[in-house]
Amino acid sequence: MDKETILSWLKEEDPKRLEKLWQEADKVRARCVGDEVHLRGLIEISNYCINRCYYCGINRDIRTLARYRMTEEEIMAVVREIVKRGYGTVVLQSGEDPGIKRTWMSELIRRIKGETPLAVTLSLGERNVGDFAAWRKAGADRYLLKFETSNRYLYRYLHPPRQGEEIDRLILLEELSSLGYEVGSGIMVGLPGQTYEDLYEDLSIFRRLDLDMIGIGPFIPHPKTPLGCHPDWLSRSEVPNTDLMTCKVIALTRLLCPMANIPSTTALATVNPASGRILGLERGANVIMPNFTPIKYRKLYDIYPRPQETAPGGEDPLSIILSLGRRPGKGPGNRRRQIF
Ligand code: 5AD
């Protein structure tokens, strides 16, 4: 697909023509990663964060937010629940929390790998190579680190660098890959100031990095953040932060990166609670990440406003999967290297 074609799909509004994009993405999804939908149990282990991202509701400037860091025992209890549900992967996610120490994390990973058959995915933000190497050695399988937008100016603006530290996430992704992790990244769709050209660049980077996992969600304004309390900034977007726009990016990602594991994200389900999750799965996605964070912490992991689910694991992912004629994935659900 050349640049013009990609840009014209990104700007396409006609539902009839878009139907062709959805069908093509679904066909490639079926052929390249099959009908299995992999389930990853998500645990948000800490909401401490030292960054000041303008879009994010747990950024360090939000002083009114109570902060938590789960204990090893609390995390292990949830891990056992995820095993009981028959899932193949646990995802440990947090803000950028220096209170999560290298050795503590290594021991937790060793324990999960020793006591369960789960694949372990980490999503703990920017860390030094020593941490990445130690956690890989302890048995971690995958690492997620979104680059959020390929537009360097926009990224720098929305994600102000800490003093004296300008970290290039694309370089970190390459380091993670050379350590033997399966590597995931992704972006937000509809950020103020983001253009269609930017999305084209994002898609090119997905392809160039040969990512194993690609997460794509709409930007959701959070009223306590700089982006959420300046409505005039929001009107300055070329790209809408809608479910439709997000689905176009998911579908194009499937066409450009046919073997990647692509989640139908919670952010997509948040902007369209009735059918976001399903639309993602029908338009290229093959993964769901149900939230297992204990209820008392979940409302504190407030990256963007989302409905409060009451049950661990939330909406019944199994019935969604079966209603689409698909089946839940078995085992860890690694990225496929070959068409089966
Ligand atoms: N809207 C959508 N996604 C967000 N994230 C953070 N804030 C928002 C928001 N307001 C996503 C980013 C980040 C992850 C922690 O959550 O992609 O990588």
Side-chain angles (χ1 to χ4, degrees):
M1 239 190 307
D2 61 12
K3 181 169 179 181
E4 287 319 305
T5 313
I6 292 172
L7 281 172
S8 72
W9 276 126
L10 288 170
K11 295 176 189 171
E12 183 59 67
E13 298 275 328
D14 178 2
K16 272 224 197 70
R17 279 200 293 268
L18 279 170
E19 204 51 49
K20 229 182 100 198
L21 177 63
W22 312 142
Q23 280 172 12
E24 201 53 38
D26 198 46
K27 217 161 71 189
V28 171
R29 187 273 308 153
R31 192 173 70 233
C32 296
V33 293
D35 283 339
E36 287 195 331
V37 176
H38 301 294
L39 290 159
R40 325 288 201 200
L42 173 68
I43 317 177
E44 293 150 337
I45 62 173
S46 159
N47 72 346
Y48 283 92
C49 193
I50 54 173
N51 281 338
R52 299 171 46 225
C53 306
Y54 282 14
Y55 44 84
C56 183
I58 66 169
N59 83 61
R60 72 159 192 227
D61 291 336
I62 300 180
R63 305 288 159 124
T64 50
L65 182 68
R67 303 286 169 162
Y68 72 90
R69 188 178 300 120
M70 289 174 69
T71 66
E72 179 175 325
E73 281 318 314
E74 284 178 315
I75 296 169
M76 286 310 296
V78 183
V79 165
R80 285 189 285 270
E81 175 65 27
I82 291 169
V83 174
K84 251 203 264 163
R85 293 276 189 109
Y87 290 16
T89 298
V90 60
V91 182
L92 304 174
Q93 188 162 80
S94 71
E96 301 219 350
D97 177 8
I100 295 179
K101 300 290 180 202
R102 181 189 296 181
T103 50
W104 179 85
M105 196 69 214
S106 296
E107 273 161 36
L108 174 64
I109 295 163
R110 281 209 177 84
R111 223 181 132 186
I112 298 174
K113 297 302 287 187
E115 295 176 22
T116 79
L118 295 178
V120 172
T121 301
L122 304 178
S123 178
L124 310 173
E126 297 159 1
R127 305 285 304 213
N128 62 50
V129 187
D131 290 344
F132 290 152
W135 298 338
R136 176 78 190 123
K137 198 159 156 240
D141 301 276
R142 313 188 184 121
Y143 205 99
L144 300 175
L145 183 69
K146 295 189 179 182
F147 63 81
E148 315 292 3
T149 173
S150 56
N151 178 330
R152 302 235 158 208
Y153 300 100
L154 185 58
Y155 182 76
R156 200 169 190 285
Y157 179 68
L158 296 178
H159 184 115
R162 296 191 295 269
Q163 217 162 26
E165 269 191 304
E166 183 113 30
I167 291 168
D168 184 338
R169 288 195 168 187
L170 299 185
I171 292 176
L172 292 187
L173 292 170
E174 275 166 22
E175 285 171 359
L176 287 161
S177 184
S178 55
L179 286 167
Y181 283 95
E182 275 199 4
V183 175
S185 193
I187 57 158
M188 284 179 279
V189 172
L191 286 166
Q194 189 178 46
T195 65
Y196 289 106
E197 286 274 333
D198 292 337
L199 288 180
Y200 167 78
E201 284 304 322
D202 297 338
L203 289 162
S204 310
I205 291 177
F206 292 163
R207 185 155 51 170
R208 176 159 60 78
L209 295 183
D210 188 28
L211 293 168
D212 303 302
M213 305 166 282
I214 305 169
I216 297 153
F219 161 65
I220 302 170
H222 185 304
K224 292 212 178 106
T225 61
L227 278 191
C229 59
H230 289 282
D232 52 316
W233 290 8
L234 300 179
S235 59
R236 261 189 263 151
S237 322
E238 176 174 306
V239 176
N241 59 338
T242 56
D243 52 343
L244 182 69
M245 193 63 230
T246 305
C247 284
K248 288 189 231 175
V249 181
I250 289 177
L252 289 165
T253 300
R254 173 58 68 203
L255 298 180
L256 295 168
C257 310
M259 311 295 283
N261 282 325
I262 302 176
S264 182
T265 51
T266 304
L268 177 57
T270 301
V271 294
N272 181 348
S275 47
R277 196 74 82 180
I278 292 173
L279 289 176
L281 290 174
E282 287 178 329
R283 297 172 174 179
N286 70 320
V287 170
I288 312 185
M289 299 168 66
N291 193 341
F292 280 79
T293 308
I295 298 294
K296 65 174 171 176
Y297 296 133
R298 211 178 286 190
K299 61 179 182 303
L300 301 176
Y301 203 82
D302 185 27
I303 48 182
Y304 53 78
R306 54 183 179 182
Q308 288 302 312
E309 291 153 350
T310 46
E315 19 151 49
D316 180 11
L318 196 58
S319 63
I320 291 179
I321 293 167
L322 297 175
S323 75
L324 292 169
R326 312 261 281 271
R327 53 180 189 277
K330 292 218 168 64
N334 290 334
R335 181 254 180 100
R336 278 228 185 96
R337 295 271 156 198
Q338 277 175 324
I339 294 179
F340 54 119

